[in-house]
Structure formats: structure tokens, C-alpha cells
Amino acid sequence: YDDRDGVIWMDGEFVPWRDAKVHVLTHAMHYASSVFEGERAYNGKIFKSREHSERLIKSAEALDMPMPYTVDQIEAAKAETLEKSGLKDAYVRALVWRGSGEDMGVASARNPVRMAIAVWPWGAYYGDAKMQGAKLDIAEWKRPSPETIPVHAKAAGLYMICTISKHKAEAKGCSDALFMDYRGYVAEATGANVFFVKDGEVHTPLADCFLNGITRQTVIQMLKDKGITVHERHILPEEMAEFEQCWLTGTAAEVTPVGQIGEYTFEVGDLTREIANDYEQLVRS
Ligand code: PMP
């Protein structure tokens, strides 16, 4: 990804894509002092842009990184970066991290908080077979307790177990891995939230120890607007045997049907298709 034409917004300026570099003694590289956002633009407009900017600031604050920009400044910077990319449908990555400077240890309060925004094309998250039902592995790692780490921040450190779990899943021929949480309840995938359908009602894990996705919240509202009952609750893995349909939600994943998780299988049913279609309409409206 580093060898491309175009520009990246870095600390308030546009720099050529290939020159958007940092020093090896960047605090974030050593101590995971980094938070980010993944956003999608449709028809030249970032979906739920403001919500993403607000979450970025909250994530930075959770890691004790004072944000050098306001929501409005971030909004303007993202819009300008998207425009300069010339893309109408694109993925937008905003990143905030603790840079190099006076400190080179765990404490880094004197080092600058830096920010970058990059925009690139990104198709379906799980490839072209999106509507056929993704196959998921069950991760060996667990989503941690809120007493362990700031679980609601979209922070780089929380992705360490995501990367290793997804690598393992892909090596087994799966598209992703589903995490249980520290108590053993169903949690989320490595970059997406999960929903289940049974008897016309929807069940989704309570977001009490993982990212309450912007897409998750959007889809819950869409379901409620349709008069469909949504249960946000603790879900035991064994319950997956009884669920008929399953899908993932996320900015990158959008609404992706799931056909299998470990030993459990699901049909790509009518409600899954309807929600996937409705979401596609919504993001482009
Ligand atoms: N969980 C994790 C771990 C994620 O990385 C993402 C993607 N940001 C999500 C859930 C879904 O969040 P959103 O709908 O806000 O993209």
C-alpha cells in the first residue's frame, strides 16, 4: 500500500503518498499508542462521517492522547482528502498516533499526537462471494474484559488478537474468525459485529466489551423501523445451533451473510438479503 500515486493528509498538509513516513522510534510502533477509523464513501460522500470523527476523538482520549483537531477540522480534512483522491466510492482511513520526540519509554506525554488520512479503493470485504455466506472459524483468543483495556476504543492494540485469529482462520480456508468474550459469550468478528435470526426475531451480542459498531447501530435501527424485534443480550455459543440466519456488520463488511461458524451452519435467508439490500440503499441515499 505504500507504493502508490496520490496524496495523504498528514498533520494538516498533503504529502505525496510515497513520502507519508514516520520514524522507527515512533511511540505508537513500540507501545500501540494508536487509534483509527475505517470509513466508506459512497457517491462521493462519507457515510456517517461525523459519527466516525467523534469516535476517533473518543478513542484518542481513551488512550490519553489529546486530539490536535476538532470534529469540524477532521470533517473538512477527510472531505478534502476524498476529493483529491478523485474517488467516489472509497475506503477512508483516519489514524491518530503518538509520534517520536522527547520520550522513548512507556510514558510519552511530551511526544506529539499526530494524525493522517488516506483514501483508497476497497471492494467487498470478504471478496466477490459476499452474498453466498462467509465461513468463519472460532477464535482461540477472547475479547477482553472492560477492566483490562479500553474495549470501546478503536485502538490498534485491540487488533493484535484479531490479526493472529484472522491469519489462523484464513489458513483454514475461512474468511474470518468469531470471538467469544472473556465470559464465554459470543462477541464479534475480527473487524465486524454479528447478528443472528431465529423465528423472525433478531439476536445480537450486547456491546459491553467490544466495539459498538456504527453499522451495528444503523442496522439495529433499520430492523426496529421495520417492526422487527431485536434482542441485544448475552448469547452463549451453543445457541448458534438454534439460529437460522447470521450476518456480520461493519463499515468494510457492510452487511455480509454468514453460512458457517465452526460447526454451526446458517442459511442466507430472506431477512439477511433484505437487510443487506436496505443497507446498500441507505448508504447511497
Ligand atoms: N468490531 C471491530 C473489531 C471492528 O474493527 C469493526 C470495524 N470498525 C467493527 C466491529 C464494526 O464497526 P463499524 O460498524 O463502526 O465499522
Side-chain angles (χ1 to χ4, degrees):
Y1 275 88
D2 54 356
D3 187 17
R4 290 178 176 222
D5 295 332
V7 290
I8 287 178
W9 184 98
M10 227 172 156
D11 304 316
E13 283 168 27
F14 286 100
V15 298
W17 193 283
R18 294 177 184 83
D19 298 339
K21 294 177 180 170
V22 294
H23 196 272
V24 289
L25 296 187
T26 293
H27 191 269
M29 293 236 299
H30 300 252
Y31 302 106
S33 49
S34 166
V35 297
F36 65 101
E37 274 305 316
E39 318 181 25
R40 266 193 202 262
Y42 301 90
N43 301 332
K45 192 169 177 291
I46 301 171
F47 183 65
K48 304 257 174 185
S49 186
R50 219 175 165 83
E51 284 87 338
H52 283 285
S53 296
E54 285 166 357
R55 186 169 73 184
L56 184 67
I57 292 176
K58 276 201 190 128
S59 297
E61 283 169 352
L63 270 68
D64 196 31
M65 296 194 289
M67 270 295 284
Y69 305 100
T70 63
V71 172
D72 287 336
Q73 286 170 324
I74 298 168
E75 286 299 291
K78 289 192 301 190
E80 206 183 341
T81 313
L82 177 62
E83 201 185 311
K84 281 198 191 294
S85 77
L87 298 166
K88 295 288 173 212
D89 286 8
Y91 182 79
V92 179
R93 171 58 58 92
L95 180 71
V96 174
W97 74 98
R98 190 68 84 159
S100 55
E102 297 292 312
D103 293 320
M104 192 51 219
V106 173
S108 64
R110 292 179 300 172
N111 291 9
V113 174
R114 303 189 55 189
M115 180 166 167
I117 304 166
V119 171
W120 64 82
W122 198 349
Y125 191 49
Y126 297 112
D128 297 336
K130 181 177 172 188
M131 290 310 291
Q132 285 167 24
K135 188 177 166 192
L136 270 54
D137 187 23
I138 294 183
E140 288 170 14
W141 297 92
K142 311 285 180 225
R143 294 317 299 169
S145 149
E147 293 179 326
T148 310
I149 198 160
V151 292
H152 298 293
K154 195 166 163 63
L158 283 156
Y159 285 86
M160 183 177 73
I161 56 174
C162 297
T163 300
I164 48 185
S165 300
K166 192 159 175 171
H167 282 179
K168 196 157 197 176
E170 287 183 346
K172 290 183 190 172
C174 296
S175 303
D176 202 350
L178 184 76
F179 284 107
M180 303 303 130
D181 72 16
Y182 64 103
R183 297 159 297 197
Y185 296 125
V186 174
E188 60 168 353
T190 65
N193 294 117
V194 65
F195 287 75
F196 300 98
V197 182
K198 190 186 166 202
D199 301 329
E201 297 189 343
V202 172
H203 303 256
T204 191
L206 192 65
D208 61 0
C209 67
F210 55 84
L211 200 69
N212 181 7
I214 291 168
T215 320
R216 176 185 183 277
Q217 296 170 50
T218 304
V219 165
I220 288 173
Q221 194 55 52
M222 280 168 48
L223 289 160
K224 287 183 175 168
D225 290 346
K226 284 177 175 291
I228 294 167
T229 304
V230 182
H231 304 276
E232 289 182 69
R233 63 176 180 87
H234 290 144
I235 295 173
L236 287 164
E238 305 85 85
E239 290 186 65
M240 290 196 283
E242 303 290 315
F243 292 139
E244 298 146 8
Q245 300 176 43
C246 175
W247 68 73
L248 299 178
T249 65
T251 296
E254 300 169 309
V255 175
T256 295
V258 174
Q260 192 176 344
I261 302 176
E263 65 189 271
Y264 306 106
T265 56
F266 311 94
E267 54 153 346
V268 180
D270 290 343
L271 186 59
T272 304
R273 285 180 202 286
E274 192 179 326
I275 294 300
N277 284 335
D278 288 0
Y279 184 76
E280 210 172 303
Q281 303 268 310
L282 178 71
V283 296
R284 295 191 175 279
S285 66

